[in-house]
Amino acid sequence: MASGAVSNGHAGPREPRSATATGTGTGSGRGAGVLQNGCTRSRQQQNGKPKTGHYKKTFSESFEQPPMYVPVLTYMGYGIVTLFGYLRDLLRSCGLEKCHAAQERKEQKDFVPLYQDFEHFYKRNLYMRVRDNWNRPICSVPGPTFDLVERVSDDYNWTFRYTGRIIKDVINMGSYNYLGFAENKGESLSSVAEVTMTYGAGVCSTRQEMGNLDKHIQLERLVAQFLGVEAAMTFGMGFATNSMNIPALVGKGCLILSDELNHTSLILGARLSGAIIRVFKHNNLQSLEKLLRDAVVNGQPRTHRPWKKILIVVEGIYSMEGSMVRLAEIVALKKKYKAYLYLDEAHSIGAVGATGRGVVEYFEVDPTDIDVLMGTFTKSFGATGGYIAGKKELVDYLRAYSHSAVYATSMPPPIVEQIIRSLKCIMGLDGTTIGIERVHQLRENARYFRRRLREMGFITYGNDDSPVVPLLLYMPGKVGAFARRMLKKNIGVVVVGFPATPIVESRARFCLSAAHTRQMLDTVLNVLDEMGDYLQFKYSRRSPSVRPELYNESDFELED
Amino acid sequence: TLGNKMATGQQWVLVEMVQAFYEAPAYHLILEGILILWIVRLLFSKTYKLQERSDLTEKEKEELIEEWQPEPLVPPISKDHPALNNNIVSGPPTHNIVVNGRKCINFASFNFLGLLDNERVKNVALASLKKYGVGTCGPRGFYGTFDVHLELEDRIAKFMRTEEAIIYSYGFATIASAIPAYSKRGDLVFVDEAACFAIQKGLQASRSNIKYFKHNDVEDLERLLKEQQLEDQKNPRKARVTRRFLVVEGLYMNTGYICPLPELVKLKYKYKVRIFLEESLSFGVLGEHGRGVTEHFGVNINDIDLISANMENALASIGGFCCGRSFVIDHQRLSGQGYCFSASLPPMLASAAIEALNIMEDNPDIFRVLRQKCQRIHCALQGISGLKVVGDSFCPAIHLVLARSRGLRENDVKLLQEIVDYCMKQGIALTQAHYLDKEEKALPLPSVRVVTTIKLTEEELDKAAALIKKAAECILH
């Protein structure tokens, strides 16, 4: 019963569970209606070139539900581990089992305990059993393959010992190296090396004081040019780009409408802003429109004064689901209700779109329609930091009032140079076609990998074009077994469980890269096929040929 | 009988009523009918009526939506806002710096130990770059942990003589993530009102109850602690689960003064509060070996629950670290938001920080030299008429504030900027301390910040002091 309730709860957010939507007939009636109301026409006028619809590609995302017994068994799994946890805690408190966890100092035993017991219970009894699958240290470039430092545990993961050996050439399915700019081959890093030697590694000041380098200005111009907007500002950390700039944009008397699966940094930024936050269901336009309508009609709670401004916060690609934002429809909604749109392209910039310009390009949306374009350089660009881009007034305001500009050290020059180099490569300014080839290669890799997984009968989440591919494992026992066995086969995978995902939806996550060769992917797929049979997580009940089924569903939807 | 009589009586009334009904004029009947209907309507519609009044029709809603005009996303700012005319540094921001096309001596960057253009550091960074590339392409949990990160954590822990250290990829995010990892809603934080912005943001994120005490005023702190003690006696059950923290800075970024650490440690045990110490300015500066304010005072580092510092000042790299006992620090590996959810520090910057630590260990003398230089300029800046020095003599980042305010803050800022510009023209690069006026808890006075680095020669220090004096004479009189 419990599992039914939960799985229903999750069915809601991701409605429609499997949708194929084309230019004119979107999955949601309202969104489509709005789009026909002149939005497309006005854009035609602005651009001066005809664009018939918002996008012609099929929008195909799926979130297949597993058979009923899977969540039941998953809950049982957690139940058993929890029971054993209590048993072992009992043994530890009697002194029958040695407690490995660090203890409070004797002098401070009478202080209020530093952290809550449940939090610690989970860590001690559940996380500790599978801890070896995270934080695996690597000792090479995080490219398509990497070298891992071998570590073993003699005390069931409480401590690790490094054997001194290196596990060579592990296929890397975990790093966000979408375009393969995490590299050190040949001359690729020569400009970065040069900048390191002239500028040094740090900056030692902030943008407003003595840390506004010529390099930063060069980078920001290039970013704005790349995105097709008036101006851009860059920051030293992607996480902080969100958490330190949202408070500069909205405050008391403002409303933030946030997707329920937004990244922690966006949530933190929203909280620090002091604005009221309301959460809409993941990528669900009806839920968003209802909130928007309510907000505009009813105003602020209690006072009923109109909101000062409403900011919709969404991500381009959601990193745990692999889903893509329904951008065109959201733009239409935000125009209708005069809200502002904050788009976090952390995982999508460089990774999707015909020339790597993110979901904005993918959905053929005018970049000037997005009020705040945010993204990070950590992923596709193989660097670190983030940007905010948009109208000149926006960026000018941030230069003056961003927390980061005033208080945080600016981006170090070698990092700046790495971003410049990779941006130039993507834009073709380096005189080669390497960049665009990588963008295409990534798309091919993502589609190929997803198609093969589906054919094998795995449940995967997300959009067909998204390079983030979650593969559902569900049961906690399988998470650990899967990651360990994959490593034995020399494949490095990322597995995620509670609390990063809903409790029954533990998963493995693959991040495709343009640097993955077909051969590497085939190796991984073959091992996965084998593993799927061995560990039995081929849960999909869909017919192996997927396309006809999707068409059927879309027909059904167009009828209502 | 009586019963019969009553029955006939009632019958008679009924008959009469029917008769009256027939005889009554039509208008009367209609009127009464309407009245009855009205009463019925009132009876049944009352509850609906209220809701109806607040329910808007679709049309009205559309009108409201049409009508609503939001404020602009950002208010316009004037073209001559200082932030739109930031100094532009061409080339490396080191000892000799080119600001706005003019060669200057740098008195503004927090490059205390001059490690920014140190050849050893650069070479190590370069070697690391060639081995690892630039970015890590992942958070620590997902293949973003490199062997150099582990080495750096280990080295910092050893250097500070603590059990464990944890590194963050951004200085600001370090203390701002560390505080909310421990202090939750309902917990209590005592904090110095001059605490830097990163601490303020960490406190805000923690949603704890915050009590500010006067800057470096131990008595005021004790007063608050005592008040809390009384409160606790009233509600001992709540007191048993309310964690208490004391958040202070080693050297205050906003004032340049050192915290009275030994007294604070005494209060810690007396009132059972845990001390979090932010050492971004004092790490690599104070103490015989640069271990910071604990070494400066000879306080046992185990008495401090958590020390955090960024690696962006003395270490001249990027990022930050927290160190302390494993019992405390390890908790952040699953609870520190800036640690778990952010890409890890680029390996080349971690390598640079390791080499910077090596240099600090190889040359413990540099801390003494830095201290002398700080004292020299602190001394030379005394007695300038119109300007007051704020900060301890051994602090490498001291403030010059106006001895007499000109009333409005803007006017003071303008005057100080004139002094900065004057010095800049003469080849001394200075800057005002920048704050977000509306966001700061206790907005510090406008000030020119004078940063001392080990690279500055005695002549340069004297020259700068003399120049500032001259500037003050020209501008403030």
Side-chain angles (χ1 to χ4, degrees), chain A residues 104-105 108 115 123 136 138 176 184 197 204 209 214 272 308-309 338 340 378 382 407 409 493, chain B residues 65-66 68 71 73 89 110 122 130 135 137 143 145 204 268-269 305 312 327 330 343 440 449:
Chain A
E104 177 69 289
R105 278 170 96 196
Q108 289 182 227
Y115 25 81
K123 186 182 158 192
R136 287 178 179 156
I138 78 174
Y176 308 132
N184 62 350
M197 290 317 276
C204 293
E209 291 176 2
D214 46 359
L272 292 177
K308 287 183 181 163
K309 39 194 163 176
K338 293 171 229 150
Y340 299 107
T378 321
Y407 295 102
T409 305
V493 293
Chain B
I65 290 164
E66 195 64 38
W68 180 61
E71 285 182 8
L73 180 60
V89 178
F110 293 115
K122 282 185 188 173
K130 287 191 172 145
C137 290
Y143 302 107
T145 300
Q204 197 189 339
K268 163 186 169 164
Y269 288 105
D305 292 86
E312 295 164 357
F327 177 75
D330 191 55
E440 284 278 352
R449 202 192 281 118

Side-chain angles (χ1 to χ4, degrees), chain A residues 102-105 108 110-116 119 123 127 134-142 146 162 174-177 182-184 189 192-193 196-204 207-210 212-214 217 236-237 239-240 244 249 263-264 268 271-272 293 296-297 306-310 320 336-338 340 371-372 378-379 382-384 393-394 396-397 399-401 403-404 406-410 412 414-415 418 492-496 509, chain B residues 56 58 61-62 64-66 68-75 77 81 83-84 86-93 97 108-111 116 122-123 126 129-143 145-147 150 169-170 172-173 182 197 201 204-205 207 239-243 245 268-269 272-274 302-303 305 312-313 316 318 325 327-328 330-331 334-335 337-338 341-343 346 348-349 352 430-436 439-440 449:
Chain A
Q103 296 294 310
E104 177 69 289
R105 278 170 96 196
Q108 289 182 227
D110 54 345
F111 280 45
V112 178
L114 187 58
Y115 25 81
Q116 271 130 9
E119 221 178 317
K123 186 182 158 192
Y127 174 66
W134 288 275
N135 302 304
R136 287 178 179 156
I138 78 174
C139 54
S140 70
V141 179
F146 52 23
Y162 298 98
S175 297
Y176 308 132
N177 180 24
E183 57 189 350
N184 62 350
L189 290 176
V192 184
T196 309
M197 290 317 276
T198 46
Y199 282 80
V203 184
C204 293
R207 288 297 292 273
Q208 288 202 357
E209 291 176 2
M210 207 52 79
N212 186 34
L213 305 188
D214 46 359
I217 297 162
M237 182 196 197
F239 185 97
M244 295 170 82
L249 299 175
H263 190 252
T264 318
L268 181 64
R271 263 194 210 158
L272 292 177
R293 216 176 159 75
V296 179
V297 170
W307 294 101
K308 287 183 181 163
K309 39 194 163 176
I310 299 176
M320 284 295 162
K336 182 175 174 196
Y337 292 96
K338 293 171 229 150
Y340 299 107
D371 302 279
V372 190
T378 321
K379 283 110 190 169
T384 187
E393 300 96 82
L394 168 81
D396 281 352
Y397 183 81
R399 287 189 199 288
Y401 296 103
H403 298 182
S404 186
V406 186
Y407 295 102
T409 305
S410 36
I415 308 294
Q418 162 76 1
V493 293
V494 163
V495 284
V496 221
R509 188 186 61 183
Chain B
L56 297 163
E58 281 305 306
K61 282 184 185 170
E62 292 300 334
L64 278 170
I65 290 164
E66 195 64 38
W68 180 61
Q69 278 303 330
E71 285 182 8
L73 180 60
V74 290
I77 66 171
H81 191 287
L84 302 185
N86 283 339
N87 294 323
I88 297 173
V89 178
S90 323
I97 188 171
S109 302
F110 293 115
N111 181 18
L116 198 57
K122 282 185 188 173
N123 284 326
L126 188 67
L129 171 73
K130 287 191 172 145
K131 181 171 178 198
Y132 299 101
V134 182
T136 60
C137 290
R140 285 293 291 267
F142 304 153
Y143 302 107
T145 300
F146 284 59
D147 49 357
L150 299 172
S169 55
Y170 204 44
F172 189 95
Y182 304 98
F197 198 70
K201 287 290 127 182
Q204 197 189 339
R207 299 188 273 184
R240 268 204 297 278
V241 293
T242 309
R243 285 175 282 263
F245 301 93
K268 163 186 169 164
Y269 288 105
K272 306 201 191 319
V273 290
R274 296 173 190 271
N302 284 324
D303 283 334
D305 292 86
E312 295 164 357
N313 299 343
I318 291 293
R325 303 186 303 278
F327 177 75
V328 179
D330 191 55
H331 183 63
L334 287 180
S335 307
Q337 287 201 330
F341 297 102
S342 160
M348 64 181 296
L349 299 173
L430 286 170
T431 168
Q432 285 196 64
H434 285 244
Y435 306 101
L436 285 172
E439 307 275 333
E440 284 278 352
R449 202 192 281 118

Side-chain angles (χ1 to χ4, degrees), chain B residues 7-123:
Chain B
T8 47
Q10 272 175 351
Q11 225 166 22
W12 185 80
V13 171
L14 242 158
V15 169
E16 220 177 24
M17 271 173 72
V18 174
Q19 255 178 356
F21 183 77
Y22 278 114
E23 282 166 14
Y27 76 90
H28 192 259
L29 280 181
I30 291 166
L31 201 74
E32 279 199 10
I34 290 171
L35 278 174
I36 288 166
L37 284 177
W38 183 249
I39 289 166
V40 169
R41 200 181 154 215
L42 279 180
L43 277 175
F44 284 93
S45 66
K46 202 171 180 184
T47 49
Y48 294 93
K49 187 87 190 184
L50 276 171
Q51 222 179 34
E52 238 175 38
R53 212 177 292 150
S54 67
D55 254 7
L56 297 163
T57 62
E58 281 305 306
K59 196 171 159 255
E60 282 171 316
K61 282 184 185 170
E62 292 300 334
E63 276 169 15
L64 278 170
I65 290 164
E66 195 64 38
E67 223 175 80
W68 180 61
Q69 278 303 330
E71 285 182 8
L73 180 60
V74 290
I77 66 171
S78 66
K79 278 211 176 75
D80 52 352
H81 191 287
L84 302 185
N85 308 293
N86 283 339
N87 294 323
I88 297 173
V89 178
S90 323
T94 47
H95 175 59
N96 294 306
I97 188 171
V98 180
V99 190
N100 305 329
R102 187 184 295 275
K103 277 187 190 165
C104 292
I105 309 290
N106 190 352
F107 276 83
S109 302
F110 293 115
N111 181 18
F112 304 137
L113 300 177
L115 296 175
L116 198 57
D117 52 347
N118 185 293
E119 288 302 312
R120 269 174 74 180
V121 175
K122 282 185 188 173
N123 284 326

Side-chain angles (χ1 to χ4, degrees), chain B residues 159-170:
Chain B
F159 179 82
M160 293 296 283
R161 299 186 175 170
T162 53
E163 284 176 18
E164 194 170 334
I166 182 171
I167 54 171
Y168 282 78
S169 55
Y170 204 44

Side-chain angles (χ1 to χ4, degrees), chain A residues 413-425:
Chain A
I415 308 294
V416 175
E417 182 55 36
Q418 162 76 1
I419 303 165
I420 292 177
R421 147 187 117 77
S422 49
L423 266 177
K424 279 186 174 164
C425 183

Side-chain angles (χ1 to χ4, degrees), chain B residues 206-272:
Chain B
S206 78
R207 299 188 273 184
S208 312
N209 298 326
I210 297 153
K211 307 219 164 180
Y212 288 95
F213 59 91
K214 287 188 195 131
H215 181 39
N216 270 346
D217 188 339
V218 180
E219 274 165 36
D220 195 43
L221 170 63
E222 186 152 22
R223 179 183 62 81
L224 288 175
L225 288 166
K226 271 190 183 139
E227 266 174 28
Q228 187 56 38
Q229 210 172 30
L230 287 177
E231 197 79 9
D232 289 347
Q233 280 161 5
K234 276 184 220 154
N235 196 348
R237 272 180 71 179
K238 191 177 166 213
R240 268 204 297 278
V241 293
T242 309
R243 285 175 282 263
R244 292 120 223 274
F245 301 93
L246 172 59
V247 181
V248 289
E249 277 179 75
L251 276 173
Y252 282 87
M253 181 63 105
N254 292 357
T255 66
Y257 289 116
I258 195 169
C259 71
L261 195 62
E263 281 97 326
L264 297 175
V265 170
K266 269 182 218 150
L267 291 182
K268 163 186 169 164
Y269 288 105
K270 193 168 168 195
Y271 296 96
K272 306 201 191 319

